[in-house]
Amino acid sequence: MVDPTADVALSAVESSLYNNVQDLLKEMDSRSVSQKGMLRWSLQKKLEADPSCSVSLIRLLVKELEKKLKMVGKIHKTRSYMHVIPMLHTLYYVVIQSGAMNPTSLYQTVYECLMKLLILPSPYCAVALNTLRSIKMEMTTPGSLYQRRVIAEQNVKNEHFTLQEKVFVLADPAVFSTPLEAIIRAHLESSLLRNTPSVEKNVVLRVLQTGLGTTCRSSRLAQALEAIGDHMVERYFQEVVLAVEQSIQHGPGGCATYLNKLQHIYRDILTASKEETTKVNRGSVCSTAMPFPEINFLVWRDEEDLWNLLANFALHSCANSSVDEEVKDKRDSFRSEDSGIERDLKESDFDDTEQHPVRKPAPSFKRRNAYKKTQSLDRLSLVREKIEAFPGSSPVLKEDRRRLTARVVVMGDDRVLGRLTRAYQSIRERESKRLILTKKLNLQLYYIPVTDVEPSLSSPDSPRQDEGRLSLASLLGRVDPWYNSNINSLGAAISKLARMHLYHSQPSEQNRFLLDTLCYYLRCGSQPVNLPLYSVKMTRSSCDVSSVVEEVFVSHLEADIPEFRHLKEKFSKEPYVRRKKSTVEVLGAVMSVSYTKISLSKREVVKGEAPMTCGVVITSQPAAVTSGEDHLTVRFDSVNPGYNTEIQTKKISIRTIEQRTLSVCLDKDSRRTYTDVQRIEISPCLDPGCSVRSRFSVSREQALPLSKYLDRVLSLPINTFTGVTL
């Protein structure tokens, strides 16, 4: 007989969850910047506190997704799909976080719903496909998503699943003061307090209780794992990992065998503990919340730090690999196994280590002569990355042999992305000459906007004073509303965390908001927005000696004539009426300008002008926002703003005459200011990975196969939740 009280309680739970989901979706439409992201975090905490509500939440999310599907035929607009992304990511997070056994019938309903979502345009179908793969894996091998994610993030050594990840958070010292640096470092690196046996126990407990459901006495199992020694825990951990990997390899047909193995492991653990089993309630669920990954926090003072971090991570992993593992990796390199989280195929260690102190043991084979015959094939790895980064690329191409993933999070404003641009371009340049990282390492880039400008105290929802330095954050927020809701609000959370630290010495639950949201971003932010990079060649004249400086920028270039700064400031403060009465109009100096005009036919039309100006402001307009093609907006500023002019182009050359020079600042960063510049030439930055230098001529470059079919412009791929909308 069904207890009506239970039905009422279940109805109350579902009603509460329904309101939570609706509030979550309404938040995306709200223009308010205060408290954004808190609703998602509160729902996550509710799930951690009561894993049993996961079934109800999954049902609600599926119903909401089906409602959106019905609207697709009626309103074929991109905005009608906007709520699909948060529901998909929430669905994935519920499955991986719940810790409870979900009914097979429920998974089947989810699977059918996700299959229907594949008709949506990119990138919505891409996110749906990723979620579909994860759900399918969890259907046939319960507990696999949790196990693989934890093993990768915690770098737990085992013989059967070798994916490893590291998180590097780079903070811009221009934004992070010394006290703020200390607070954030202590907050993020608190996740380092862990030990491997505890992680292994949680994995065993979580997989068994997820796979066996009510037949697993979770509390009793937890006691048994505590009673046996660490060496026994490691043994059962290895058995569980092996069972999961074999089940994934065998597919749906191996599910019954997998569950039998879990039952056998479960009985062995209880027998080994020699404890009473009659005093514990059957079927109770123990909390095995996802542990925080290891986070390495660094104040980014030297751009070489990024290269050093990545190289040390990769080479340290190489040093821990034996020759036997290398040979096995080579033998298995053509086998593909979907990891359910990220790239998962194995790969041999580096071939090029002569510049590094860490050396691997000598391999059992020798290379004849000095010419590496596989060099051209290795270079295709860089082209492969370009193909994967292209929106809507085939999922088959996303299979990867690299087993290391470096997740690099930069914190700051537009200036830190400018520094990341230079470091990323330098890495691509190095890799085009000699592959050191690409064959081994999968690099993922993330951005959390933080500013040192205090928000307005009069109204937290009023236009912010820091928007000028957070233009790229605003751009990403327009492209991806879910990024805007969860990540663009973290800058305020960091400032709040610093203020709370002044009054409360003990950490509170509220302090975990930043760390929890960062983990959510790292786990679900897998769709990149590609920001095009532009190269700038500056001809400088100093002490009668001309020199050429080559640089790169991502968002902003400003060049002005120093002699006119005081006039421009003076005119900007005076009323327009007073300026109009002036008998002499001071506009600026004459500049020679040559640029390629953007035309509808996409033919290059070279224009030449000589405008009167006191400065030039050039901003990047990515196709992700313009819904057209990447271009630059160039504004020629006059001393009198009424005479300002603006053009749109892809490349431009500006030269001063009358013996005047320019002061050039890149990406709003005063640390990247160049003076005495006579000429600037700006064009899209070409990706070094799409060409290879001939070994007969250093100056001669040859296009690699397939590169002519790709956009050869180098882009900075910043991970978001949605990615670029086509």
Side-chain angles (χ1 to χ4, degrees):
M1 181 175 180
V2 180
D3 185 3
T5 307
D7 290 340
V8 172
L10 182 61
S11 177
V13 169
E14 288 186 339
S15 176
S16 175
L17 291 173
Y18 177 80
N19 292 332
N20 291 148
V21 172
Q22 294 303 316
D23 291 341
L24 196 68
L25 300 179
K26 290 178 182 177
E27 184 186 58
M28 293 184 65
D29 302 323
S30 173
R31 294 185 178 181
S32 174
V33 297
S34 59
Q35 299 296 315
K36 278 211 168 187
M38 294 297 295
L39 293 175
R40 179 207 55 78
W41 183 65
S42 300
L43 185 61
Q44 177 184 331
K45 288 300 173 184
K46 179 181 291 188
L47 184 64
E48 288 182 6
D50 183 12
S52 62
C53 70
S54 62
V55 174
S56 299
L57 184 54
I58 291 174
R59 285 199 184 103
L60 287 172
L61 292 170
V62 171
K63 288 180 181 178
E64 290 298 319
L65 286 171
E66 289 175 343
K67 288 180 183 178
K68 296 300 176 185
L69 275 171
K70 292 179 181 179
M71 296 174 58
V72 171
K74 299 178 181 179
I75 309 175
H76 192 71
K77 294 182 180 179
T78 301
R79 188 166 181 82
S80 64
Y81 314 139
M82 187 176 67
H83 292 164
V84 170
I85 295 297
M87 286 187 286
L88 286 174
H89 287 308
T90 303
L91 177 63
Y92 168 79
Y93 225 63
V94 170
V95 172
I96 199 173
Q97 284 276 86
S98 65
M101 183 180 185
N102 296 313
T104 304
S105 58
L106 178 60
Y107 274 137
Q108 188 62 37
T109 303
V110 175
Y111 185 83
E112 292 172 358
C113 177
L114 294 176
M115 285 292 291
K116 297 175 184 176
L117 289 175
L118 298 182
I119 66 171
L120 296 180
S122 180
Y124 305 99
C125 61
V127 179
L129 181 59
N130 289 342
T131 310
L132 180 67
R133 287 173 167 173
S134 299
I135 295 297
K136 185 177 180 181
M137 178 181 292
E138 193 69 12
M139 283 175 63
T140 58
T141 311
S144 56
L145 290 179
Y146 177 92
Q147 175 184 288
R148 286 190 159 193
R149 173 56 65 189
V150 170
I151 289 176
E153 289 182 351
Q154 307 298 321
N155 292 314
V156 182
K157 293 182 180 180
N158 66 93
E159 302 173 359
H160 314 292
F161 183 71
T162 58
L163 240 65
Q164 297 181 40
E165 296 183 2
K166 268 202 173 182
V167 180
F168 303 100
V169 177
L170 306 182
D172 190 352
V175 173
F176 282 76
S177 62
T178 302
L180 181 60
E181 169 200 339
I183 294 170
I184 301 302
R185 180 190 301 276
H187 179 71
L188 295 181
E189 292 188 347
S190 63
S191 59
L192 294 175
L193 303 176
R194 67 171 67 84
N195 61 78
T196 300
S198 296
V199 173
E200 293 176 342
K201 289 176 186 176
N202 285 339
V203 168
V204 173
L205 177 60
R206 173 62 176 270
V207 173
L208 291 179
Q209 74 179 22
T210 305
L212 301 179
T214 56
T215 62
C216 173
R217 301 178 181 180
S218 301
S219 299
R220 173 68 187 90
L221 179 60
Q223 294 174 2
L225 289 171
E226 290 295 331
I228 62 179
D230 289 346
H231 66 287
M232 292 290 290
V233 171
E234 183 178 359
R235 170 195 156 190
Y236 291 120
F237 168 76
Q238 296 288 350
E239 290 184 9
V240 167
V241 175
L242 176 60
V244 168
E245 296 307 311
Q246 288 179 340
S247 176
I248 292 173
Q249 187 175 3
H250 294 152
C255 184
T257 304
Y258 169 68
L259 296 180
N260 288 334
K261 286 183 179 179
L262 293 189
Q263 188 67 45
H264 180 74
I265 294 171
Y266 172 68
R267 285 197 296 263
D268 281 356
I269 294 174
L270 296 184
T271 302
S273 67
K274 298 180 181 179
E275 294 287 339
E276 293 291 331
T277 61
T278 58
K279 297 181 180 179
V280 183
N281 293 330
R282 183 176 179 176
S284 58
V285 178
C286 295
S287 176
T288 53
M290 291 275 292
F292 298 119
E294 178 183 344
I295 298 175
N296 301 272
F297 183 84
L298 175 72
V299 177
W300 196 12
R301 293 188 170 88
D302 188 347
E303 288 177 11
E304 285 292 309
D305 288 342
L306 178 57
W307 171 266
N308 294 334
L309 288 171
L310 299 178
N312 288 338
F313 174 37
L315 291 173
H316 177 72
S317 174
C318 287
N320 292 335
S321 299
S322 65
V323 178
D324 293 337
E325 287 176 336
E326 292 178 16
V327 175
K328 182 177 182 297
D329 286 348
K330 289 179 180 290
R331 187 168 59 244
D332 296 341
S333 61
F334 295 101
R335 184 180 63 194
S336 171
E337 298 173 0
D338 190 1
S339 70
I341 51 176
E342 281 291 342
R343 313 159 186 275
D344 52 38
L345 292 183
K346 299 178 181 178
E347 173 66 3
S348 60
D349 289 331
F350 298 128
D351 294 324
D352 303 303
T353 57
E354 59 188 44
Q355 293 183 344
H356 303 278
V358 179
R359 292 183 181 271
K360 64 182 181 181
S364 57
F365 56 90
K366 295 183 179 179
R367 182 183 296 131
R368 186 180 301 175
N369 300 327
Y371 176 59
K372 184 181 177 183
K373 294 184 179 180
T374 60
Q375 188 177 30
S376 297
L377 294 177
D378 289 344
R379 297 298 185 269
L380 290 177
S381 299
L382 298 173
V383 177
R384 184 191 183 100
E385 284 192 344
K386 292 286 289 186
I387 297 175
E388 292 175 2
F390 186 77
S393 61
S394 171
V396 176
L397 295 173
K398 292 182 180 290
E399 294 177 353
D400 202 318
R401 297 188 181 100
R402 291 168 290 187
R403 65 184 184 87
L404 300 179
T405 297
R407 304 192 184 277
V408 177
V409 185
V410 293
M411 288 186 172
D413 49 29
D414 289 349
R415 294 172 291 181
V416 78
L417 283 179
R419 303 189 77 193
L420 181 62
T421 294
R422 288 213 305 185
Y424 183 69
Q425 193 267 349
S426 175
I427 290 173
R428 296 290 290 187
E429 183 70 33
R430 292 186 184 188
E431 293 294 286
S432 68
K433 298 175 181 177
R434 168 180 288 180
L435 284 183
I436 298 176
L437 300 178
T438 304
K439 290 173 59 179
K440 189 71 175 177
L441 192 66
N442 170 31
L443 177 61
Q444 298 290 310
L445 303 178
Y446 305 80
Y447 172 48
I448 294 179
V450 183
T451 179
D452 54 350
V453 178
E454 287 293 331
S456 175
L457 298 177
S458 58
S459 175
D461 298 332
S462 62
R464 298 174 57 166
Q465 304 172 15
D466 54 15
E467 282 185 350
R469 286 252 175 98
L470 294 176
S471 62
L472 290 176
S474 177
L475 181 153
L476 294 174
R478 293 197 301 275
V479 172
D480 183 355
W482 195 232
Y483 177 93
N484 189 53
S485 294
N486 290 281
I487 307 304
N488 273 347
S489 60
L490 281 184
I494 289 175
S495 301
K496 184 177 182 180
L497 183 64
R499 290 193 297 269
M500 291 176 61
H501 183 80
L502 296 176
Y503 301 103
H504 305 283
S505 58
Q506 296 296 327
S508 63
E509 182 67 18
Q510 184 74 14
N511 289 349
R512 293 299 179 188
F513 174 70
L514 171 61
L515 193 52
D516 284 330
T517 305
L518 174 59
C519 293
Y520 178 77
Y521 184 24
L522 293 171
R523 291 162 182 163
C524 295
S526 59
Q527 302 298 314
V529 171
N530 295 305
L531 304 176
L533 307 187
Y534 291 88
S535 62
V536 52
K537 183 183 294 184
M538 294 173 283
T539 303
R540 305 177 68 187
S541 176
S542 179
C543 299
D544 299 328
V545 178
S546 296
S547 62
V548 176
V549 177
E550 294 188 10
E551 259 279 17
V552 62
F553 70 95
V554 64
S555 65
H556 189 272
L557 181 148
E558 185 170 358
D560 68 343
I561 300 175
E563 293 93 318
F564 289 95
R565 285 177 185 166
H566 69 287
L567 289 176
K568 184 178 179 181
E569 293 174 358
K570 177 183 177 182
F571 272 77
S572 64
K573 294 178 182 178
E574 291 182 357
Y576 179 74
V577 176
R578 187 181 302 175
R579 293 201 306 268
K580 195 172 182 181
K581 292 180 180 180
S582 177
T583 57
V584 180
E585 288 286 358
V586 181
L587 302 178
V590 177
M591 289 187 185
S592 174
V593 179
S594 178
Y595 65 97
T596 302
K597 182 181 179 181
I598 296 179
S599 62
L600 294 177
S601 63
K602 296 185 179 180
R603 294 178 180 176
E604 291 191 357
V605 180
V606 178
K607 291 280 190 175
E609 294 183 358
M612 293 284 288
T613 182
C614 64
V616 182
V617 178
I618 301 176
T619 55
S620 172
Q621 304 295 325
V625 176
T626 61
S627 299
E629 56 181 339
D630 301 326
H631 66 271
L632 296 168
T633 296
V634 183
R635 189 182 76 242
F636 295 96
D637 288 340
S638 170
V639 172
N640 190 332
Y643 292 88
N644 291 350
T645 59
E646 187 173 284
I647 62 173
Q648 292 182 347
T649 181
K650 281 194 170 184
K651 52 185 176 181
I652 188 170
S653 175
I654 301 173
R655 180 172 57 88
T656 62
I657 55 181
E658 301 175 351
Q659 296 183 344
R660 299 184 188 276
T661 60
L662 296 169
S663 175
V664 180
C665 180
L666 302 176
D667 290 322
K668 306 170 189 175
D669 193 344
S670 60
R671 296 165 294 186
R672 300 174 62 198
T673 301
Y674 298 87
T675 57
D676 299 323
V677 177
Q678 291 182 320
R679 182 188 184 97
I680 55 176
E681 300 172 69
I682 301 172
S683 60
C685 181
L686 298 182
D687 189 348
C690 290
S691 62
V692 59
R693 295 188 186 278
S694 170
R695 61 190 179 98
F696 301 107
S697 174
V698 177
S699 61
R700 183 180 177 185
E701 290 192 352
Q702 298 174 338
L704 288 173
L706 302 179
S707 62
K708 65 180 179 179
Y709 301 107
L710 297 175
D711 181 5
R712 296 183 63 191
V713 174
L714 180 62
S715 299
L716 186 68
I718 300 297
N719 279 358
T720 63
F721 300 102
T722 303
V724 177
T725 304
L726 296 180

